[in-house]
Amino acid sequence: LTRRMMLATVTATAVVAAVPALAQETFKVGAINPYSGPTALYGDEVTRGYELAAEAVNASGGILGKTVEIVRGNATAPQEGIAAVEQLAGRDNVDVFIGTYLSAVAQAASEAALNYNKLYWDTNALASNLTERGLPNFVRSGPYSVSFAERSVEFVVDFLAPELGKEPSDLKVWIEHEESIYGTSIADRQKELLEEAGVQVVGVGAHNFRAIDLTDSVLRARDAQPDVWLSTGYVPDGNLLLRTARDQAFRPGATVLVGTGDTSETLEAMGQEGVEGIYVVSYPRPDISEEFGPGSAAYLEAYRARYNQDPIAPQSMAAFVGFKMMAEAVNAAGSAEPEAVRAALDQFDKPEGSYETGFGVKYDENAQNLRAFPTVIQWQSGHPVTIYPVSAAGDNKP
C-alpha cells in the first residue's frame, strides 16, 4: 500500500510539473475588438481574419515554434480596452496583443499593454496618432488615416472630376466625418490635400457615430450644394447619413464613403436602389485582381470553407494579412518582446503586391507600414465591385 501511495504521489507530482511545460507550447495572442454592441459584427469579422491566419501560421510551424491560440478581449470603448488588456495579460498571460476595429480602443488598449511590456500589433485601426505618438510597443501593419485620405483625394481628383465633367478647381466637396480620432485625422488630411489640388472645400462637418439623428449634418451639407459628399465614419452613422440624405432629397453628383459602407448591412439598410452608384474607399476585397493581390482568391476559398459564407466585410482580409506579418516579425526577432520585434522590422522590405491584399512591407521610424493602401469600390446592381486603382480592378468596370 505504501509503495502504491508513493507511486501515486510521484505520478501526481510529474503531472503538475508538466503543466507549465505544456502551457509554454502555446503562443497566445490577445485579440482586442468589439464583440458586443453595434460594431460587434465587425469585431467578429476582423477576428475571423486572425483565426484564418492562425491556421495558416500553425501549418507552417507556428510562432517561435509554438501553436498559436487566439484569446478574445471584448472592447467597445477605451475603458473596456484597458480592462480587456489587464484581464488577458493577468489572467491569460497572452504573449502579444492584436487589434483593432476601433481607433479609440486601440489607443487606450495599446497604452495599457505597454504597462505589461507586451507588443500591440494593429492591423485595422486607422487614426494617424497611433503611430505618431511613438509608443515603443506599437506596430501597425495595415493602412492608416493618411493612406485613406490620400486614396480618397486621389480618387476624387483623378477619377471623379473627369466623371463629373469638371476640372479640379471647379469641383466642390463637402467633408463629413465622425468626431473621434479616426474620423478627424482622415478629414483633416483630406481637407489639406484637396485644397492643395485646388478643389473647393465648401464645408466640413463632424458628428458622433453613436448619434440617433443626423438631420442637421445632412442639411448643412445639402445647403452647400457640393458636387461630392465625402464622408468618413462607421457603419451605424454611415447608414444613418445615407437614409437621412434620401429623406432630405440630398443628391450630390457623387457620394464617397470612407472606411465603411461596402457591406451587406448597408445594402439591407438602404436597398439596392439606395446604394446604387455609391463609392466606398475601404480595405481591399477578395475580388481584386490576382496580379494585384496574389492569393486573394485562395483567401476567399478558405473563408468560405471555414465560415460557410462570403466575407462580411473587407476588414477580415486585412486582418488576415496583418496577423501573418506579425508572425513573420516575431519569428524574425526570435522573441515577442516589443523592443526585439521593433528592431526586427528593419529586415522587412517587400514590394506592393506581396500579400493577398496587395500590400507590401516597409516600416517607418514609428513602425507604420508605408506599403498598405485602401482600394475603392462602387455599388453596382447590389454588389460592391472594386474599380480603383485600375490595377486592382482587373476586369471590373465603373
Side-chain angles (χ1 to χ4, degrees):
L1 183 61
T2 302
R3 178 178 173 80
R4 289 178 181 172
M5 291 177 62
M6 290 176 63
L7 285 172
T9 301
V10 170
T11 301
T13 302
V15 170
V16 172
V19 170
L22 288 173
Q24 291 174 3
E25 295 304 313
T26 299
F27 187 93
K28 293 185 178 181
V29 179
I32 306 296
N33 274 308
Y35 301 117
S36 62
T39 56
L41 184 68
Y42 302 97
D44 281 329
E45 180 70 354
V46 168
T47 305
R48 284 183 171 187
Y50 299 153
E51 291 169 349
L52 289 171
E55 290 181 1
V57 169
N58 284 335
S60 299
I63 298 180
L64 302 179
K66 301 175 183 179
T67 300
V68 177
E69 176 189 347
I70 295 173
V71 185
R72 294 188 176 205
N74 182 33
T76 67
Q79 281 301 121
E80 291 181 3
I82 295 171
V85 165
E86 291 174 346
Q87 184 179 64
L88 268 59
R91 182 196 66 190
D92 298 288
N93 193 30
V94 300
D95 295 280
V96 300
F97 289 98
I98 198 166
T100 321
Y101 182 71
L102 299 169
S103 290
V105 169
Q107 182 176 33
S110 54
E111 291 172 0
L114 182 59
N115 295 332
Y116 295 90
N117 194 35
K118 299 287 187 182
L119 177 71
Y120 198 100
W121 190 280
D122 214 299
T123 63
N124 289 78
L126 297 179
S128 58
N129 78 317
L130 292 173
T131 42
E132 291 170 354
R133 62 196 165 147
L135 208 65
N137 67 324
F138 190 86
V139 180
R140 179 160 44 197
S141 56
Y144 68 129
S145 60
V146 171
S147 346
F148 271 73
E150 289 176 347
R151 180 68 86 199
S152 60
V153 171
E154 173 191 309
F155 179 69
V156 167
V157 174
D158 295 343
F159 182 91
L160 283 183
E163 282 285 307
L164 296 171
K166 293 178 176 287
E167 294 295 324
S169 58
D170 297 324
L171 200 65
K172 296 188 294 184
V173 176
W174 177 279
I175 300 172
E176 182 69 30
H177 65 95
E178 66 85 36
E179 62 190 5
S180 79
I181 56 174
Y182 154 58
T184 301
S185 60
I186 292 177
D188 288 347
R189 184 60 174 158
Q190 285 172 332
K191 183 174 186 294
E192 179 183 357
L193 291 172
L194 285 168
E195 290 177 342
E196 286 178 3
V199 174
Q200 302 174 49
V201 177
V202 294
V204 178
H207 63 269
N208 190 305
F209 88 92
R210 299 179 188 273
I212 59 173
D213 186 348
L214 292 174
T215 303
D216 286 346
S217 296
V218 169
L219 291 179
R220 284 195 296 269
R222 188 191 68 179
D223 291 346
Q225 299 182 324
D227 301 300
V228 179
W229 188 31
L230 187 58
S231 180
T232 300
Y234 292 106
V235 175
D237 58 307
N239 290 351
L240 181 55
L241 282 169
L242 291 177
R243 288 196 301 269
T244 306
R246 180 180 58 193
D247 295 343
Q248 297 298 328
F250 177 36
R251 301 183 184 90
T255 295
V256 183
L257 304 180
V258 180
T260 52
D262 54 349
T263 70
S264 59
E265 194 170 359
T266 297
L267 177 62
E268 291 167 3
M270 294 297 297
Q272 180 175 321
E273 184 178 349
V275 297
E276 187 69 15
I278 289 176
Y279 303 100
V280 184
V281 182
S282 188
Y283 295 90
R285 307 181 67 86
D287 76 325
I288 57 177
S289 68
E290 193 71 13
E291 181 181 358
F292 182 85
S296 54
Y299 168 80
L300 180 58
E301 290 180 10
Y303 188 102
R304 288 169 170 168
R306 173 74 183 268
Y307 301 109
N308 198 31
Q309 65 178 128
D310 281 349
I312 295 168
Q315 282 87 345
S316 59
M317 190 162 71
F320 171 81
V321 166
F323 192 104
K324 292 203 303 181
M325 290 179 179
M326 179 274 292
E328 292 168 356
V330 173
N331 280 331
S335 167
E337 293 292 322
E339 184 177 0
V341 174
R342 288 283 293 254
L345 297 182
D346 292 338
Q347 303 177 28
F348 294 93
D349 188 351
K350 298 182 181 181
E352 292 176 33
S354 295
Y355 293 89
E356 291 83 351
T357 51
F359 298 169
V361 182
K362 183 67 176 179
Y363 295 96
D364 67 11
E365 66 278 5
N366 291 323
Q368 169 62 54
N369 183 12
L370 300 176
R371 294 177 181 163
F373 299 94
T375 53
V376 183
I377 68 96
Q378 183 183 40
W379 280 101
Q380 299 178 5
S381 302
H383 300 283
V385 178
T386 300
I387 63 163
Y388 191 87
V390 174
S391 57
D395 295 331
N396 297 333
K397 304 297 181 184

